[in-house]
Amino acid sequence: QVQLVESGGGSVQAGGSLRLSCKASGTPISGACMGWFRQAAGQQREGVAVIDGDGHTDYAQSVKGRFTISKDSAKRILYLEMNSLKPEDTAKYYCAMNGCTVELVVAPFNYKGQGTQVTVSS
């Protein structure tokens, strides 16, 4: 059974940084597409970043240059390094498996975790 568990969220001031982690169990991640999406209160899901089995990455325009996705396949951990955070980045961030683009990572049929809250104050 695939399980994804996110951690690393918190509250920061604008301009700050956070690193999110997603620990996968029940499946290897080396060949899989994995990514992050977020959902702010009352808003639709927004794909943030994805990484495929070859290490190719894709980012939402809103986070390009500020966020970096990476993975440690041996440890089965997916990361999202978030720098220069803005109040509009405030959302619950979810790790997902099987979406290979920022458009597909939000699909409801993907495996996903329970999410971790990120709050950015101005």
Side-chain angles (χ1 to χ4, degrees):
Q1 182 179 354
V2 176
Q3 284 192 318
L4 303 172
V5 179
E6 302 94 337
S7 61
S11 297
V12 296
Q13 289 192 324
S17 299
L18 284 172
R19 188 175 80 157
L20 305 183
S21 298
C22 171
K23 173 68 175 173
S25 60
T27 183
I29 69 169
S30 55
C33 290
M34 296 195 70
W36 297 90
F37 67 89
R38 63 189 181 188
Q39 189 165 23
Q43 303 295 316
Q44 291 188 332
R45 294 180 178 183
E46 178 190 17
V48 174
V50 296
I51 184 166
D52 69 13
D54 294 324
H56 298 121
T57 58
D58 186 27
Y59 295 93
Q61 192 63 39
S62 59
V63 307
K64 274 184 181 177
R66 300 189 297 122
F67 290 12
T68 302
I69 189 171
S70 63
K71 63 181 179 178
D72 184 330
S73 295
K75 294 181 179 178
R76 301 188 186 183
I77 300 176
L78 179 73
Y79 299 102
L80 185 69
E81 186 77 35
M82 305 187 296
N83 298 313
S84 302
L85 283 161
K86 305 175 181 181
E88 50 264 43
D89 295 318
T90 294
K92 197 165 189 179
Y93 284 69
Y94 296 85
C95 167
M97 176 176 277
N98 292 335
C100 293
T101 67
V102 291
E103 291 81 18
L104 290 175
V105 74
V106 303
F109 49 78
N110 291 338
Y111 292 112
K112 69 175 181 66
Q114 294 300 307
T116 185
Q117 179 68 36
V118 171
T119 303
V120 185
S121 58
S122 57

